[in-house]
Amino acid sequence: MAYILDKKIDLDQARQEATTLADSLAAQAGRAAGWAAPRVNRAREEFVKAAKEAQLRAQPVVEEARTRVVEEYVPAAQRAAEGARVRVIEEYVPAAQRAALAAQEAANTEGTLTERAQRIAVAAKEAALTPEVPVKKKHPVLKTFCWLAVAGCAAGAAYVVWRRSQPVEDPWAEEYWADSTDEPTPAAEEKPSEAPEPPAAE
């Protein structure tokens, strides 16, 4: 029983020491909290201040990057996408259509399956790699204008030739004088009188 009592004493003593230790730790934790609270608040305020300064310093860089993206990269990407779309529509789709037609024509030829497959592959490859010959554009308005100009010039030339071939009546031609009589006029028959004498000088 002595052993049990010793254990009881030891348990009571351990409880007291644990309680003392807990009180001591609580007191030290309270002092640590009192010491750390202003420092944590100051650190928090400094962190907020540093974050605001970093935001103010980063704002022009972010604005510049956003402006560059909006004004340079987005239009460049749009131009590249449009170029790719045009290239697909104008080059790749017609090439694929030509290759499909060439392959279909090669498939309709005589021969074994292997021979036709080889001809199909060769014909499709050649059709896809051969560039399409651009068709010359016709200009119907320009052609019409040119034909109208030629017709106008021809009509003008025909008018000039016709006008030159018409007889011209000259009112001063000899026929006009032929209608007159050969008789002299009475004023022409009169003889001119001698010139009057000048008055005498006084």
Side-chain angles (χ1 to χ4, degrees):
M1 218 155 131
Y3 177 69
I4 294 178
L5 286 176
D6 282 341
K7 272 205 161 209
K8 230 181 192 184
I9 294 173
D10 286 342
L11 284 176
D12 289 335
Q13 187 181 7
R15 282 186 192 144
Q16 280 181 340
E17 287 177 4
T19 305
T20 310
L21 182 62
D23 291 340
S24 172
L25 286 175
Q28 286 180 359
R31 282 191 304 246
W35 176 83
R39 286 174 177 75
V40 168
N41 285 338
R42 195 174 330 128
R44 184 183 57 81
E45 290 171 0
E46 288 177 5
F47 176 76
V48 168
K49 183 180 175 183
K52 285 182 181 179
E53 288 177 3
Q55 182 183 5
L56 290 176
R57 280 183 288 189
Q59 187 173 2
V61 174
V62 170
E63 263 314 300
E64 181 182 340
R66 185 187 66 80
T67 302
R68 180 174 279 168
V69 166
V70 169
E71 293 177 358
E72 293 177 17
Y73 300 141
V74 170
Q78 288 173 343
R79 285 191 303 271
E82 181 64 22
R85 185 187 70 80
V86 167
R87 182 173 230 164
V88 165
I89 290 172
E90 293 179 358
E91 293 178 18
Y92 298 143
V93 170
Q97 289 173 345
R98 287 191 310 270
L101 288 174
Q104 186 177 13
E105 289 174 4
N108 292 332
T109 60
E110 294 293 324
T112 65
L113 183 61
T114 307
E115 292 172 349
R116 288 191 317 192
Q118 289 174 349
R119 278 187 249 142
I120 289 171
V122 169
K125 181 179 177 183
E126 287 177 3
L129 295 179
T130 304
E132 186 177 358
V133 178
V135 178
K136 287 187 176 182
K137 294 182 179 179
K138 296 181 180 181
H139 302 283
V141 174
L142 186 61
K143 284 183 180 179
T144 304
F145 178 72
C146 288
W147 281 113
L148 286 175
V150 167
C153 289
Y159 176 74
V160 168
V161 168
W162 175 77
R163 200 61 187 147
R164 298 255 179 181
S165 68
Q166 295 298 316
V168 178
E169 272 192 46
D170 188 6
W172 303 105
E174 290 183 20
E175 294 175 6
Y176 176 75
W177 296 107
D179 292 341
S180 68
T181 60
D182 290 330
E183 296 177 10
T185 60
E189 290 179 1
E190 291 180 6
K191 289 186 179 177
S193 62
E194 293 180 15
E197 291 182 19
E202 292 180 21

